[in-house]
């Protein structure tokens, strides 16, 4: 038997004010996008903002549905829009923020499992890492250099060959 260990490092900032201008601006775009969420059931509004390799910025917000499985997360909304508007253009950075109408929004949240899988597929497709900038309306912010770090031992198209 062999025991393997996997770990990763990420940056932690006390607040968005400590970020560089590009990351701070992208995180603010994600906060703004959260206001566009359709979240009448959970009242948990999430916004995502993508910085593309061609310099374009795309935002998305979660869209709920009374039939819960039909909803779509902010990250996948933004990724789908980017893929439709700019096919073949890699995503460099994804910022995610949220507004929990029923509680505090003062710490970072991470993408859900489905979004992590989708991010892994985008990275494989473009052969480039996607940085994550994660924060709430206030409080600390974390920056993860490669989205795949959140989904170790992920399933990919390589498994299907």
């Amino acid at each position: 038997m062999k025991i393997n260990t996997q770990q990763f490092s990420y940056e932690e900032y006390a607040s968005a004010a400590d970020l560089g201008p590009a990351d701070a601006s992208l995180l603010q775009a994600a906060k703004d996008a959260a206001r566009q969420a359709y979240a009448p059931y959970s009242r948990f509004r999430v916004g995502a903002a993508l910085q593309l390799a061609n310099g374009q910025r795309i935002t998305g917000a979660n869209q709920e549905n009374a039939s819960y499985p039909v909803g779509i997360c902010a990250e996948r909304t933004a990724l789908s829009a980017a893929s439709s508007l700019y096919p073949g253009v890699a995503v460099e950075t994804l910022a995610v923020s949220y507004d929990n109408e029923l509680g505090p929004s003062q710490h970072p949240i991470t993408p859900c499992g489905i979004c992590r899988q989708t991010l892994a597929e985008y990275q494989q497709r473009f052969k480039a890492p996607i940085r994550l900038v994660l924060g709430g309306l206030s409080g600390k912010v974390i920056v993860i250099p490669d989205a795949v770090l959140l989904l170790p031992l992920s399933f990919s198209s390589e498994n299907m060959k």
Side-chain angles (χ1 to χ4, degrees):
M1 176 180 81
K2 180 179 176 185
I3 297 176
N4 296 309
T5 302
Q6 185 172 359
Q7 55 187 350
F8 72 95
S9 299
Y10 59 90
E11 300 168 4
E12 181 175 305
Y13 298 87
S15 74
D18 297 328
L19 294 171
D23 285 345
S25 174
L26 196 63
L27 184 58
Q28 183 59 53
K31 290 176 185 181
D32 294 343
R35 286 192 222 115
Q36 303 306 315
Y38 177 70
Y41 308 104
S42 71
R43 304 198 45 193
F44 194 88
R45 299 173 173 276
V46 181
L50 306 175
Q51 184 64 51
L52 303 180
N54 66 0
Q56 295 296 314
R57 184 176 282 181
I58 302 290
T59 61
N62 60 316
Q63 303 295 308
E64 293 181 350
N65 192 285
S67 174
Y68 282 120
V70 181
I72 185 168
C73 300
E75 298 93 328
R76 288 182 293 126
T77 300
L79 288 165
S80 295
S83 184
S84 296
L85 294 170
Y86 301 101
V89 178
V91 175
E92 293 180 338
T93 305
L94 165 67
V96 179
S97 188
Y98 69 102
D99 181 2
N100 179 4
E101 295 177 17
L102 303 175
S105 307
Q106 302 168 341
H107 58 79
I109 58 168
T110 59
C112 74
I114 293 172
C115 289
R116 291 176 190 207
Q117 182 67 38
T118 303
L119 286 162
E121 183 92 7
Y122 270 78
Q123 285 196 200
Q124 180 186 24
R125 186 165 137 196
F126 293 106
K127 297 175 181 39
I130 299 173
R131 287 177 66 248
L132 301 175
V133 179
L134 309 172
L137 295 180
S138 62
K140 76 177 179 178
V141 176
I142 59 174
V143 177
I144 300 172
D146 185 334
V148 170
L149 295 171
L150 293 178
L151 192 62
L153 305 174
S154 63
F155 180 81
S156 74
S157 63
E158 292 299 315
N159 298 111
M160 299 172 66
K161 292 182 180 177

